Amino acid sequence: MGAGRAADNSRGKRLLMPEKSQTAQAEGAQLADGAFPAWPLPPGPEAAAFARSIARAVLAELDMPPAVVGDAQTIISELATNAVVHGDRERAEVWAYLSRHPFPRLTLKVFDAAPWRGTGGAVPADATALITGEPASDACGGRGLMLVNALTEEAGGCWGVHPTRCRLGPGPVSGKAVYFTIPLPKACAAVLSPPVLGPVPERLCELAGVRGLRALVSLGAEATVVHFGAGLWVWVKDGALLYELPGHGVVRHPPSDAVEVVEQMVRLREEGAAGGPAPRAPSWDLC
């Protein structure tokens, strides 16, 4: 049975965690506990419905309002459709995780293994061409991404696209992820900082290892440093994770944001591999 696939025909109707060896997650872990689930997208027309079922299950776990659940289903349906129509439909995935910096939020990402084109600048002139490979005059793709932008903005979130690596299947295959974020209501229990899953440096190395990044740990008197190669490192100091993000200076996260921090390390490594300039700026984020 493949990673993240159901043992019966109810695929997508219940929240399934991918195989432990693929995600380095404890069996049955919840998003609020730091879980980082991933699901393979079907390579056909059923991809949109499957992605909607994932969004519905994830947001139900977080007790999100029905209107937000509906909008999230619409957004991820558009992104899943783009992935299987314009991307590499045989290597498409959906990911979900929580982070607390700069505010508590849910991130949903749709990955596919189509080659990363880059933007050539901080903001592309044509987001539709960047994500789908076709010009904005394409009515379906253009209107779909306009809807993604409008619904994400209305929710107070962000969306964008960046190079990254797959999380399922054999080997760290490169590609791109289109993501969107949804702020968590203050009343949501997931806002509370969860216990960290094990020692922080080991957690960072574990998350990086399943993406094909070999991380090395250096113990110092003032801080522990986790090296990811290519001039990328994370300081573990005073109950925080710190790293330098080009164009943004030093970013500080709580230890519970280990997934988000490693996602940034993978993103920066892939930007460098794609020939990004220094400082790197080929990804795109609209917040």
Side-chain angles (χ1 to χ4, degrees):
M1 181 173 63
R5 297 181 185 273
D8 53 31
N9 292 326
S10 60
R11 185 182 186 191
K13 295 182 181 179
R14 53 193 176 90
L15 193 60
L16 294 178
M17 300 296 289
E19 291 178 2
K20 186 175 180 181
S21 62
Q22 293 290 324
T23 61
Q25 296 295 341
E27 187 70 24
Q30 301 290 304
L31 287 175
D33 298 325
F36 188 17
W39 301 262
L41 269 179
E46 67 272 24
F50 180 58
R52 287 194 298 271
S53 72
I54 291 173
R56 183 169 59 250
V58 167
L59 273 73
E61 178 186 328
L62 300 173
D63 294 324
M64 299 291 272
V68 176
V69 176
D71 288 348
Q73 288 181 281
T74 300
I75 295 170
I76 204 166
S77 176
E78 293 291 341
L79 301 186
T81 298
N82 280 333
V84 299
V85 172
H86 304 286
D88 184 347
R89 67 178 61 194
E90 300 299 328
R91 295 300 300 268
E93 306 169 5
V94 176
W95 312 339
Y97 64 91
L98 298 179
S99 59
R100 272 74 180 173
H101 174 82
F103 49 82
R105 59 186 178 178
L106 167 69
T107 297
L108 286 162
K109 294 188 177 185
V110 176
F111 168 87
D112 76 81
W116 169 245
R117 299 178 180 86
T119 68
V123 178
D126 184 353
T128 301
L130 174 66
I131 294 171
T132 69
E134 298 186 6
S137 58
D138 175 85
C140 180
R143 284 201 301 264
L145 292 177
M146 289 175 61
L147 182 60
V148 168
N149 182 66
L151 292 177
T152 305
E153 183 178 6
E154 183 179 18
C158 304
W159 76 286
V161 57
H162 62 83
T164 187
R165 297 180 180 183
C166 72
R167 297 189 52 231
L168 302 176
V173 176
S174 297
K176 69 178 185 298
V178 187
Y179 75 92
F180 67 99
T181 67
I182 300 174
L184 299 182
K186 292 183 179 179
C188 181
V191 171
L192 302 177
S193 294
V196 178
L197 300 179
V200 175
E202 286 78 358
R203 171 73 168 149
L204 295 174
C205 292
E206 185 179 37
L207 288 166
V210 297
R211 311 295 285 284
L213 294 184
R214 183 186 178 191
L216 301 176
V217 178
S218 299
L219 302 178
E222 298 295 330
T224 298
V225 183
V226 183
H227 303 262
F228 294 88
L232 301 172
W233 51 81
V234 173
W235 293 271
V236 183
K237 176 179 171 62
D238 298 331
L241 306 178
L242 302 96
Y243 63 94
E244 186 172 0
L245 184 64
H248 298 272
V250 175
V251 181
R252 177 187 294 265
H253 285 264
S256 56
D257 279 5
V259 170
E260 171 64 19
V261 171
V262 172
E263 280 295 282
Q264 291 295 335
M265 295 299 105
V266 177
R267 169 179 175 161
L268 292 171
R269 278 292 297 267
E270 288 297 298
E271 286 178 350
R280 304 177 180 94
S283 298
W284 180 57
D285 306 278
L286 183 61
C287 298

